[in-house]
Amino acid sequence: MSLTHFDETGAARMVDVAAKPVTQRTAVAEATVRCQPATLDLILAGDGKKGDVRQVARIAGIQAAKNTGSLIPLCHPLPLDGVTVDFTSQPPDRLTVTAAVTCTGRTGVEMEALCAASVAALTVYDMVKAVDRGMTIEAVRLLRKTGGRSGDWRRPADGGAADQS
Amino acid sequence: MSLTHFDETGAARMVDVAAKPVTQRTAVAEATVRCQPATLDLILAGDGKKGDVRQVARIAGIQAAKNTGSLIPLCHPLPLDGVTVDFTSQPPDRLTVTAAVTCTGRTGVEMEALCAASVAALTVYDMVKAVDRGMTIEAVRLLRKTGGRSGDWRRPADGGAADQS
Amino acid sequence: MSLTHFDETGAARMVDVAAKPVTQRTAVAEATVRCQPATLDLILAGDGKKGDVRQVARIAGIQAAKNTGSLIPLCHPLPLDGVTVDFTSQPPDRLTVTAAVTCTGRTGVEMEALCAASVAALTVYDMVKAVDRGMTIEAVRLLRKTGGRSGDWRRPADGGAADQS
Amino acid sequence: MSLTHFDETGAARMVDVAAKPVTQRTAVAEATVRCQPATLDLILAGDGKKGDVRQVARIAGIQAAKNTGSLIPLCHPLPLDGVTVDFTSQPPDRLTVTAAVTCTGRTGVEMEALCAASVAALTVYDMVKAVDRGMTIEAVRLLRKTGGRSGDWRRPADGGAADQS
Amino acid sequence: MSLTHFDETGAARMVDVAAKPVTQRTAVAEATVRCQPATLDLILAGDGKKGDVRQVARIAGIQAAKNTGSLIPLCHPLPLDGVTVDFTSQPPDRLTVTAAVTCTGRTGVEMEALCAASVAALTVYDMVKAVDRGMTIEAVRLLRKTGGRSGDWRRPADGGAADQS
Amino acid sequence: MSLTHFDETGAARMVDVAAKPVTQRTAVAEATVRCQPATLDLILAGDGKKGDVRQVARIAGIQAAKNTGSLIPLCHPLPLDGVTVDFTSQPPDRLTVTAAVTCTGRTGVEMEALCAASVAALTVYDMVKAVDRGMTIEAVRLLRKTGGRSGDWRRPADGGAADQS
């Protein structure tokens, strides 16, 4: 078993995708922030005059998706078609960021979705760290993807090795 | 309880730190990648001719630390003094990235350490995703920080709400 | 009436353009710098040994057009086909920057043209601010666009609400 | 009269500020968006479920302030201390963005404040352009600055050449 | 004879390539680092525990290729298909970086290959400069290109004016 | 002999400079472009209506100096004090770019000067490549540096190993 990101001598490379067809691609990823219950209340109270952590984090996530080609060394720069970043809460102590990315291109957008979810979650951390420095971002993971030669993929419902948390 | 990243009207802001003293700052953060045992073997075999996933991820993490001010909207741009990104494995299925950042400045470098660890872990994911798409990045978290008005902080050994994974 | 940059819950998003056809797009925008007459003379004298403010500003504008996808949060990153930035003067006290952008893509390049004109005008300001700090950039506006579903658009000659200055 | 951004041969340069003292700097700039009255209503309605244009524009402005050193070719990269971006409306047809920047450094932050105000205004334009393509950004201008060798400056109340709009 | 990067008035522009067909493009460029023999030994010893200068430089070169559109003012931003950066040594005192770039687009990737080779070579310099500050990067040059209207090109074997070093 | 950019296990790192004093730093580097005599004439004719390659290249070089911390993976981000990029010609076939950088900081600016000279030379190549694709950038090298613990350094007049071209 070998990794396509390296050639036979072990040199890293940005894999040549010139021969791959241009197809529609989608990917959805999530990141969960675990925090103190009072912190979650504070985040969810953000609709009013207190300022909404989620709106700032959403913009950071969208920008990160577009910036993936420079964040992740062997990723291809891609002209993304769309990015959404949404939040759901699992009281008393979890906030989940879900990022969805679409593209018409020669390679998938899993990394774009994962970067968007991660950076949105890090931005949440940044904005509330003064009151809850011990917050953890957990379960940054791909939920599903469509398009491309490797076809569609969906995270198994039972979790599997990477899904037990 | 309110968040310093918002003013009294709820507007997000980059908090003015002009009145804070310039002091030495350090922060250490980690991110753990959970994968299939065969994937971990593949990553750890990287010393030889197969290419080392960790060396690529380390560079990505260091670059991300320097780029934190543009990734995280309300973070201050900081002239970092040093960044290290290291890896340890917890067989059979975990690889941990530990990032340490130092700075002489008016604000802390927690976000720089967290960004470095996160982006290094995402880069690991990118390089092995073709063989293990279900990998999860879990427990992105601050381990300790020193310097600044809020003083030193160390993650409690017992974990606490944010530390139970 | 609602804005396409938000979904039904009010969340900002980068609108999905995957279903839109790839077509030729053009956009032309302008920005006018109003300054002291002596400042305009200084800018226009730039052909000789004194250094040409406009040449520096032109490069800044072209670079800004290419950078629009990271400057404007909900803009799509676009592989631009061409960018020009030109200057005309309206003595005694105005210099106008005109930026034209072309692209073959799924979404328009109005923002690219506006960013190019704005950043070129800001660069002019930067270079002469030491002698005329009170300069104003006024009338940053779209002049025309072609291509795309919304079709061609041309600023009304009479100005209209947005054109009375 | 000559411009410090050029040397005696007319070559552009980033002026050497090594000999200037490190002092506290502030700058405040504004940009006004003129739009249809219905557009202004739409922008101001953004507190509720419709999505708030201003919150997105605020983040774009803060990011632009930090990015000024790469947007404006001869600007120095500066470790900013603080950035705020605020909005006021002048019904029936104007929205004003006010950006304030602080820094402890060897050179002023006028360009940072102007870039923040401009990019925030451009982001407002981007988000409502589908309903009001004729919007104009007018009167991008410095309101005041403090610190540095050239001392404090405040835009004259009567306007003057650059202030008559 | 005139340069396409300027219009008839001498204004720089990003040339409009909208009318050019989308074709497969490749370019290969190289940069040679000349150093002390002991320095070359140090670089080549990098497979073991000492750390491999080439692996870091390779990542820097790949990132630079992707970043060419912002490094070189009049270059088009291009969605690259692939990038490789490789090293060969010519003992006792030379290390050559060879960068190959592929793209499906309207304009060539010569600059991407040259930027990758240059930045990789500069990164080698950075990592060993403490022991050999006098190193020189010489012969940064295009080796060959394919695709596009100007057709294929290959550096003459005899060198020619630009090839005598 | 070992390299400071790697720790004892061979891991790359951004070396911690927190303990180093803040001092004045300067560095001067050059890059020489070798071209056809007719190409050099074309470049040098750029004062008039034909457009000046050097002015565009100068801006690219200044921007590259500021961007060095993201181009070169293990470089520290530095708040530069000043950057100049100048050109001299050695007829019939050489144009030399000389970049000078100053900074008040904990680490030197050699890489900033080398990046500025290299990117300026690459920009020259880009602008004239349509008429002279075989151009070579040769002798990218440090001329001198001052400041810092390693003290002043000046390239030996006789050239030495790295200076024989």
Side-chain angles (χ1 to χ4, degrees):
Chain A
M1 188 163 60
S2 67
L3 298 172
T4 55
H5 278 304
F6 295 102
D7 68 15
E8 65 283 2
T9 69
R13 59 183 172 184
M14 196 173 92
V15 179
D16 193 351
V17 297
K20 297 174 74 175
V22 172
T23 61
Q24 293 265 355
R25 314 278 185 151
T26 69
V28 180
E30 71 175 17
T32 298
V33 178
R34 187 139 54 118
C35 57
Q36 300 292 342
T39 308
L40 184 61
D41 292 345
L42 194 63
I43 293 170
L44 298 179
D47 280 332
K49 285 295 182 189
K50 290 187 178 185
D52 192 339
V53 166
R54 291 165 295 182
Q55 293 208 31
V56 179
R58 183 178 284 122
I59 299 303
I62 291 171
Q63 293 287 66
K66 291 188 272 183
N67 198 25
T68 299
S70 75
L71 281 175
I72 308 296
L74 304 180
C75 269
H76 294 78
L78 291 175
L80 304 183
D81 284 334
V83 184
T84 60
V85 175
D86 291 302
F87 298 87
T88 54
S89 61
Q90 298 80 40
D93 64 354
R94 290 173 196 234
L95 179 78
T96 297
V97 188
T98 306
V101 178
T102 58
C103 181
T104 311
R106 289 189 165 78
T107 183
V109 286
E110 296 98 311
M111 294 315 301
E112 282 73 9
L114 286 161
C115 283
S118 290
V119 170
L122 288 164
T123 300
V124 169
Y125 182 95
D126 178 47
M127 299 184 84
V128 297
K129 69 178 187 293
V131 299
D132 187 3
R133 193 158 270 118
M135 287 171 68
T136 299
I137 299 168
E138 53 181 37
V140 180
R141 58 187 189 176
L142 186 68
L143 295 183
R144 57 181 179 276
K145 67 174 277 288
T146 66
R149 193 184 52 186
S150 67
D152 297 353
W153 182 88
R154 182 175 287 271
R155 178 170 289 275
D158 61 349
D163 203 4
Q164 291 159 355
S165 57
Chain B
M1 187 163 60
S2 66
L3 298 173
T4 54
H5 279 303
F6 295 102
D7 69 14
E8 65 282 1
T9 70
R13 59 184 172 184
M14 197 172 92
V15 179
D16 192 351
V17 297
K20 297 173 75 174
V22 172
T23 62
Q24 294 264 355
R25 314 278 184 151
T26 70
V28 180
E30 71 175 17
T32 299
V33 177
R34 187 140 52 116
C35 58
Q36 301 291 343
T39 309
L40 184 61
D41 291 346
L42 194 63
I43 294 169
L44 298 179
D47 277 334
K49 285 294 184 191
K50 291 188 178 185
D52 193 339
V53 166
R54 292 165 294 182
Q55 292 208 32
V56 179
R58 183 180 283 121
I59 299 303
I62 292 171
Q63 292 287 65
K66 291 188 271 184
N67 198 24
T68 299
S70 75
L71 281 174
I72 309 296
L74 305 180
C75 269
H76 294 78
L78 292 174
L80 304 183
D81 284 335
V83 184
T84 61
V85 174
D86 290 303
F87 298 87
T88 55
S89 60
Q90 298 79 42
D93 64 355
R94 291 173 196 234
L95 179 79
T96 296
V97 187
T98 305
V101 178
T102 57
C103 181
T104 311
R106 289 189 166 79
T107 183
V109 286
E110 296 99 313
M111 293 314 301
E112 281 73 10
L114 286 161
C115 283
S118 291
V119 171
L122 288 164
T123 300
V124 169
Y125 181 93
D126 178 47
M127 299 184 83
V128 297
K129 70 178 187 293
V131 299
D132 186 4
R133 192 158 271 117
M135 287 171 68
T136 298
I137 299 169
E138 54 182 36
V140 179
R141 57 187 189 177
L142 187 67
L143 295 183
R144 58 182 178 276
K145 66 175 277 288
T146 66
R149 193 184 52 186
S150 67
D152 296 353
W153 182 88
R154 181 176 288 270
R155 179 169 287 275
D158 60 351
D163 203 4
Q164 291 159 354
S165 57
Chain C
M1 189 163 58
S2 66
L3 298 172
T4 54
H5 278 305
F6 295 102
D7 69 13
E8 65 282 1
T9 69
R13 58 183 172 185
M14 197 172 92
V15 179
D16 192 351
V17 297
K20 297 173 74 175
V22 171
T23 62
Q24 294 264 355
R25 315 276 185 154
T26 69
V28 179
E30 71 175 17
T32 298
V33 177
R34 187 139 52 118
C35 58
Q36 301 291 343
T39 309
L40 184 61
D41 291 345
L42 194 64
I43 293 170
L44 298 178
D47 279 333
K49 284 294 183 190
K50 290 186 176 184
D52 193 338
V53 165
R54 292 166 294 182
Q55 293 208 31
V56 179
R58 183 179 283 121
I59 299 303
I62 292 172
Q63 293 287 65
K66 291 188 271 184
N67 198 23
T68 300
S70 75
L71 281 175
I72 309 295
L74 305 180
C75 269
H76 295 77
L78 292 174
L80 304 183
D81 283 335
V83 184
T84 60
V85 175
D86 290 303
F87 298 87
T88 56
S89 60
Q90 298 80 39
D93 64 354
R94 291 174 196 232
L95 180 78
T96 297
V97 188
T98 305
V101 178
T102 57
C103 181
T104 310
R106 289 188 166 79
T107 183
V109 286
E110 297 98 311
M111 294 314 301
E112 281 73 9
L114 286 161
C115 283
S118 291
V119 170
L122 287 165
T123 301
V124 169
Y125 182 94
D126 178 47
M127 298 183 85
V128 298
K129 70 178 186 292
V131 299
D132 187 3
R133 192 159 271 118
M135 287 171 69
T136 299
I137 298 168
E138 54 182 35
V140 180
R141 58 188 188 175
L142 187 66
L143 294 184
R144 57 181 179 275
K145 67 174 278 287
T146 65
R149 193 184 50 184
S150 67
D152 296 354
W153 181 89
R154 181 175 288 269
R155 178 170 289 273
D158 61 351
D163 204 5
Q164 291 159 355
S165 57
Chain D
M1 188 163 61
S2 67
L3 298 172
T4 54
H5 279 303
F6 296 102
D7 68 15
E8 65 282 1
T9 70
R13 59 184 173 185
M14 198 172 92
V15 179
D16 193 350
V17 297
K20 297 173 74 175
V22 172
T23 62
Q24 293 264 354
R25 313 278 184 151
T26 69
V28 180
E30 71 176 15
T32 298
V33 177
R34 186 139 54 116
C35 57
Q36 300 291 344
T39 308
L40 183 61
D41 291 346
L42 194 63
I43 293 170
L44 298 179
D47 279 333
K49 285 294 183 190
K50 290 188 177 183
D52 193 339
V53 166
R54 292 165 294 182
Q55 292 208 31
V56 179
R58 183 179 284 121
I59 298 304
I62 292 172
Q63 293 287 67
K66 290 188 272 183
N67 198 23
T68 299
S70 74
L71 281 175
I72 308 295
L74 305 180
C75 269
H76 295 78
L78 292 174
L80 304 183
D81 284 335
V83 184
T84 61
V85 175
D86 290 303
F87 298 88
T88 56
S89 61
Q90 298 80 41
D93 64 355
R94 290 174 196 235
L95 179 78
T96 297
V97 188
T98 306
V101 178
T102 57
C103 181
T104 310
R106 288 188 167 79
T107 183
V109 286
E110 296 98 312
M111 293 315 301
E112 281 73 9
L114 286 161
C115 283
S118 291
V119 170
L122 288 165
T123 300
V124 169
Y125 181 94
D126 178 48
M127 299 184 83
V128 298
K129 69 178 187 294
V131 299
D132 186 4
R133 193 159 270 118
M135 287 171 68
T136 299
I137 299 168
E138 53 182 37
V140 180
R141 58 189 189 175
L142 186 67
L143 295 184
R144 59 182 178 274
K145 66 174 278 288
T146 66
R149 194 185 50 184
S150 67
D152 296 354
W153 181 88
R154 181 175 289 270
R155 178 170 289 276
D158 62 350
D163 204 5
Q164 291 159 355
S165 57
Chain E
M1 189 163 59
S2 66
L3 298 172
T4 55
H5 278 304
F6 295 102
D7 68 15
E8 65 283 2
T9 69
R13 57 182 173 186
M14 197 172 92
V15 179
D16 192 351
V17 297
K20 298 173 73 175
V22 172
T23 62
Q24 294 264 354
R25 314 277 184 153
T26 68
V28 180
E30 71 176 15
T32 298
V33 177
R34 187 137 56 115
C35 58
Q36 300 292 343
T39 308
L40 184 62
D41 291 345
L42 193 64
I43 293 170
L44 299 179
D47 279 333
K49 285 294 184 191
K50 289 187 178 185
D52 192 338
V53 166
R54 293 165 294 183
Q55 293 209 31
V56 179
R58 182 179 284 122
I59 298 303
I62 292 172
Q63 293 287 66
K66 291 188 271 183
N67 198 25
T68 299
S70 75
L71 280 175
I72 309 296
L74 305 180
C75 269
H76 294 78
L78 292 174
L80 304 183
D81 284 334
V83 184
T84 60
V85 175
D86 290 302
F87 297 87
T88 55
S89 60
Q90 298 80 41
D93 64 354
R94 291 174 196 232
L95 179 77
T96 297
V97 187
T98 305
V101 178
T102 57
C103 181
T104 311
R106 289 188 167 79
T107 185
V109 287
E110 296 99 311
M111 293 314 301
E112 282 73 10
L114 286 161
C115 283
S118 290
V119 171
L122 288 165
T123 300
V124 169
Y125 181 95
D126 178 48
M127 299 184 83
V128 298
K129 70 179 187 291
V131 299
D132 187 3
R133 193 160 270 118
M135 287 172 69
T136 299
I137 299 169
E138 53 182 37
V140 179
R141 58 188 188 176
L142 187 67
L143 295 183
R144 58 183 178 275
K145 66 173 277 288
T146 66
R149 193 184 51 183
S150 67
D152 296 354
W153 182 88
R154 182 175 289 270
R155 179 170 288 275
D158 61 349
D163 204 3
Q164 291 159 355
S165 58
Chain F
M1 189 162 60
S2 66
L3 298 172
T4 54
H5 279 303
F6 295 102
D7 69 13
E8 64 282 1
T9 69
R13 59 184 171 183
M14 196 172 93
V15 179
D16 192 351
V17 297
K20 297 173 74 174
V22 172
T23 62
Q24 294 263 354
R25 313 277 184 151
T26 69
V28 180
E30 71 175 18
T32 298
V33 177
R34 187 140 53 118
C35 57
Q36 301 291 344
T39 308
L40 184 62
D41 291 346
L42 193 64
I43 294 169
L44 298 179
D47 279 333
K49 286 294 182 189
K50 291 188 177 183
D52 193 338
V53 166
R54 292 165 294 183
Q55 293 208 32
V56 179
R58 184 180 282 120
I59 299 303
I62 292 171
Q63 293 286 68
K66 291 188 270 184
N67 198 24
T68 299
S70 75
L71 281 175
I72 308 296
L74 305 180
C75 269
H76 294 78
L78 291 175
L80 304 183
D81 284 334
V83 184
T84 61
V85 175
D86 290 303
F87 298 88
T88 56
S89 61
Q90 297 80 41
D93 64 354
R94 291 172 195 234
L95 179 78
T96 297
V97 188
T98 306
V101 179
T102 57
C103 181
T104 311
R106 288 189 166 79
T107 183
V109 286
E110 296 98 313
M111 293 315 301
E112 282 73 10
L114 286 161
C115 283
S118 291
V119 170
L122 288 165
T123 300
V124 169
Y125 181 95
D126 178 48
M127 299 184 83
V128 298
K129 70 178 187 291
V131 299
D132 187 3
R133 193 160 268 116
M135 287 171 69
T136 299
I137 299 168
E138 53 181 37
V140 179
R141 58 188 189 176
L142 187 68
L143 295 183
R144 57 182 179 276
K145 66 173 278 287
T146 65
R149 192 184 52 185
S150 67
D152 296 353
W153 182 89
R154 182 175 289 269
R155 178 169 289 274
D158 61 351
D163 202 4
Q164 291 159 356
S165 56

